[in-house]
Amino acid sequence: MTKGFYNLTSGILSQTRRLDVIGNNMTNLSTAGYKAETYTDRTFQEVLISRVGNKDKSGAAVIGTESYILAPDQLYVDQTQGAMRETGMPLDFAIQGDGFFAIQTDNGVEYTRDGAFSLDGQGRLCLAGHGLVLGPDGAPITLTQDQQIRADGAGRIYDASTGGYMGQVGVFTFADNGQLAKGTSGLFLANGQQAQAADAPTVMWKCTEESNVDMLKEMTQMLTAQRALQGGAQVLKLYDSLLTKATTEVGRL
């Protein structure tokens, strides 16, 4: 009976975690460049075997007992491109195809698809709340507050009046986007990979990439997780009642 109690509890915790991820996706529906996440779980035994192998300390094979206790497995990020939205804002940029913008944050260089940029007090192109936008050479891009600009399809920025070159928004690629790690800020970390400046990036000016969250899919998954959570809670109450009777009534016999 206690085994079922632990199995149910782990299932409830897993569904709660899944609901947290779904809620975060739905909250970021309107966040430019946001990539939807998917939470997966497996039994504790499957996770343990996948990480350390089904062997004991001596290297001998171990035949373990079957376990249905759930444990977190992976948090997958859907890197598919979101729809392009024309904003008309001169500091907005969107990447068409593969690549990420590089942002110099307090914790180092991080990466994003969010191109809703602005200028800081020194006239440097930045992503509000995160840090400075970097060019292909890894240096910040300095403009001026009152300067009119235009940009081409590679992200090169020019003075609209004189045509003078002012800098280029960097687009960086990785060997495997699936290996990128999402940091606490919501931006991506290279996670040991080497970022490479794209040779021929396609950048759309006065546009941003919309979130790739599918609201219908998230709503369906949320309802499924809620039903599983409610069902598990009800059965858990039954287990609790049976355990109470076992310790109070059966114990007197």
Side-chain angles (χ1 to χ4, degrees), residues 39-184:
Y39 170 81
T40 63
D41 53 31
R42 290 191 289 175
T43 66
F44 178 76
Q45 184 181 30
E46 290 173 333
V47 173
L48 188 63
I49 291 175
S50 68
R51 294 181 181 178
V52 302
N54 197 24
K55 297 181 178 180
D56 60 19
K57 293 182 179 179
S58 66
V62 175
I63 301 176
T65 58
E66 191 170 8
S67 171
Y68 295 100
I69 296 177
L70 295 178
D73 182 25
Q74 296 286 340
L75 189 63
Y76 294 100
V77 179
D78 180 3
Q79 294 287 359
T80 58
Q81 182 171 301
M84 295 294 164
R85 182 171 70 91
E86 187 174 348
T87 66
M89 302 298 290
L91 297 179
D92 283 354
F93 296 86
I95 301 171
Q96 184 73 42
D98 189 27
F100 296 85
F101 299 115
I103 310 297
Q104 181 65 58
T105 73
D106 292 338
N107 298 318
V109 180
E110 300 181 6
Y111 301 87
T112 183
R113 296 278 295 193
D114 183 357
F117 301 141
S118 58
L119 296 180
D120 67 5
Q122 301 178 48
R124 297 174 298 182
L125 197 63
C126 67
L127 182 62
H130 295 284
L132 301 177
V133 180
L134 303 180
D137 58 354
I141 303 165
T142 301
L143 310 176
T144 59
Q145 297 285 358
D146 57 351
Q147 194 169 32
Q148 299 297 314
I149 65 169
R150 64 178 178 85
D152 64 14
R156 289 182 288 260
I157 302 172
Y158 302 90
D159 186 317
S161 300
T162 66
Y165 175 77
M166 304 185 67
Q168 182 179 3
V169 176
V171 176
F172 296 84
T173 61
F174 296 90
D176 184 2
N177 291 344
Q179 295 300 316
L180 298 176
K182 183 170 285 190
T184 56

